Amino acid sequence: GENVEQHPSTLSVQEGDSAVIKCTYSDSASNYFPWYKQELGKGPQLIIDIRSNVGEKKDQRIAVTLNKTAKHFSLHITETQPEDSAVYFCAAARPYGNNRLAFGKGNQVVVIP
Amino acid sequence: EAQVTQNPRYLITVTGKKLTVTCSQNMNHEYMSWYRQDPGLGLRQIYYSMNVEVTDKGDVPEGYKVSRKEKRNFPLILESPSPNQTSLYFCASSLRGTGGDNQPQHFGDGTRLSIL
């Protein structure tokens, strides 16, 4: 089955700097890659997703890039703010796979004011 | 407001005492799913449902049951809970689960179960 790995496990950044989290996946058939943000006491919230027919997608301060050849995708957060502090999960899914997501183990991002 | 609602949010119980965690969504979604989240293991799928009366096992189904009698509800049942089922549980839903086009999943805020 699909194996998704996230690096680094913990990331500390100064407020205003950029944060980058990288995920690798094993199944070359995967074509859907969402990113979730989980704040303390809350459920994962979808923040951005990308499909394999595009290489990059942006939404304000958040962007995701996908490299299908290398089988990795990354979350980029620019101009980080304290409210960006959370655990971030990446996931991957293949088409016609009953919408089943394979999640990475999560990254703790700490934004230092 | 579009949401996935889980109840209870917290529960402490004892081994062997049957319990049910309810999940309800108001978005008319076809697909619903249950996950458990454990430290160092991330999110793992327990069961999922493609539509009413259609359920299937995920990656860690042992010790759990589900039912999907109505589109909006997807309860998780622990017939005889054991301490290794102590975990944080999430219900999620998406527009559909069929087809080649994966749909974004929307999560509830979780249920923390402690089984003594």
Side-chain angles (χ1 to χ4, degrees):
Chain A
E2 175 67 275
N3 181 41
V4 177
E5 295 189 357
Q6 290 185 238
H7 303 278
S9 59
T10 303
L11 178 64
S12 295
V13 296
Q14 288 292 138
E15 182 177 356
D17 287 352
S18 294
V20 182
I21 307 168
K22 180 178 174 179
C23 280
T24 59
Y25 62 98
S26 62
D27 187 351
S28 56
S30 291
N31 72 342
Y32 175 65
F33 308 94
W35 282 92
Y36 286 86
K37 175 184 180 183
Q38 186 177 21
E39 297 173 326
L40 203 60
K42 297 279 191 179
Q45 179 187 8
L46 179 71
I47 54 172
I48 196 166
D49 57 8
I50 191 168
R51 300 185 188 272
S52 60
N53 57 345
V54 297
E56 183 176 1
K57 184 176 179 181
K58 284 185 180 178
D59 183 3
Q60 300 182 333
R61 296 187 296 108
I62 292 172
V64 55
T65 58
L66 172 65
N67 183 327
K68 289 185 290 184
T69 303
K71 289 191 282 189
H72 67 71
F73 56 111
S74 299
L75 179 70
H76 305 254
I77 308 173
T78 58
E79 300 173 20
T80 53
Q81 300 167 5
E83 52 264 38
D84 294 327
S85 295
V87 178
Y88 291 82
F89 291 93
C90 63
R94 59 186 302 162
Y96 302 101
N98 296 333
N99 216 27
R100 292 184 67 174
L101 292 170
F103 282 90
K105 290 181 172 49
N107 293 94
Q108 175 74 58
V109 173
V110 178
V111 179
I112 303 165
Chain B
E1 180 188 351
Q3 59 186 4
V4 178
T5 303
Q6 297 178 224
N7 280 296
R9 293 291 314 279
Y10 305 91
L11 180 63
I12 301 174
T13 188
V14 295
T15 299
K17 185 176 181 181
K18 180 180 178 180
L19 67 92
T20 299
V21 183
T22 64
C23 174
S24 180
Q25 50 91 7
N26 63 359
M27 297 170 278
N28 201 34
H29 284 174
E30 290 182 357
Y31 181 94
M32 298 185 74
S33 180
W34 276 103
Y35 296 86
R36 62 178 287 173
Q37 185 177 34
D38 301 289
L41 297 177
L43 286 147
R44 295 178 293 168
Q45 190 179 51
I46 303 170
Y47 269 93
Y48 63 97
S49 169
M50 302 288 272
N51 213 325
V52 176
E53 301 292 2
V54 181
T55 63
D56 209 345
K57 296 177 181 178
D59 299 314
V60 288
E62 294 78 20
Y64 304 95
K65 285 175 56 177
V66 292
S67 70
R68 188 89 182 275
K69 293 184 169 58
E70 306 164 286
K71 198 171 188 179
R72 64 181 295 132
N73 296 323
F74 190 44
L76 179 70
I77 303 156
L78 285 71
E79 293 269 3
S80 184
S82 62
N84 64 10
Q85 292 176 299
T86 292
S87 187
L88 180 58
Y89 291 84
F90 290 101
C91 180
S93 73
S94 68
L95 186 60
R96 61 179 180 272
T98 55
D101 190 20
N102 287 292
Q103 295 295 307
Q105 293 190 32
H106 304 268
F107 284 77
D109 280 337
T111 295
R112 187 167 291 282
L113 287 183
S114 294
I115 299 163
L116 307 176

